[in-house]
Amino acid sequence: MHAWKLGLVVSALIAASALPSAAAGQTADDREIRDLQTQQADAWNRHDATAYARLFTEDGDVVNVVGWWWKGRAEIESRLTAAFAFVFRESTMAITDVSVRFLSPEFAVAHVRWTMVGAKTPPAIPEPREGIQIQVLKRSAGKWLIASFQNTSSVPERPFPTGPVGVDARSAPKH
């Protein structure tokens, strides 16, 4: 065998042997991110704003289900402390599904489905019952943390209407 062919075969074998360890590393990262979601639910259900905020990077941010934007770990903790005082004092959250996509070894996006019971929202704010979070996660000092978080309430998906909804056909505008 020519030296260059032998080099090619050796290179291919080295590359192939590296694949399982890379996959195992991603599997460990995937587990760590899923564990972070369990920690999120645990902190929420204990109504522990400090523990919840620690799941975020120092400069992390949250856009909650009603569109309020909290910037930085300190503000996240402060706002959740206020929320846990009454509105979410008796609430419990369950994580029902987690989907993780790695953008690089240091960044990932997670879509996290959740359900909640026990919130006492004021009349002008809809009660969060189920939704989905989009999280941008950052690996920092060997630990996955949430860098950015968008939370959206949701309803079960159904087909789009094919015409006017709740409008009497006789009073619908004619074009």
Side-chain angles (χ1 to χ4, degrees), residues 68-90:
W68 299 347
W69 190 3
W70 305 335
K71 300 173 187 173
R73 187 184 286 164
E75 186 173 4
I76 293 167
E77 181 176 351
S78 171
R79 303 294 185 175
L80 279 179
T81 297
F84 288 147
F86 177 75
V87 172
F88 295 114
R89 180 176 55 213
E90 297 174 14

Side-chain angles (χ1 to χ4, degrees), residues 3 5 13 15 54 58 64-65 77 79-80 83-84 86 93 99 111 113 118 135 140 145 151 153 157-158 166 169:
K5 285 184 183 177
L13 288 172
R54 282 190 194 128
E58 192 63 42
N64 73 8
V65 295
E77 181 176 351
R79 303 294 185 175
L80 279 179
F84 288 147
F86 177 75
M93 176 177 63
S99 175
H111 289 80
R113 290 192 178 276
Q135 300 176 5
S140 179
L145 295 171
N151 202 359
S153 287
E157 190 169 339
R158 58 182 185 222

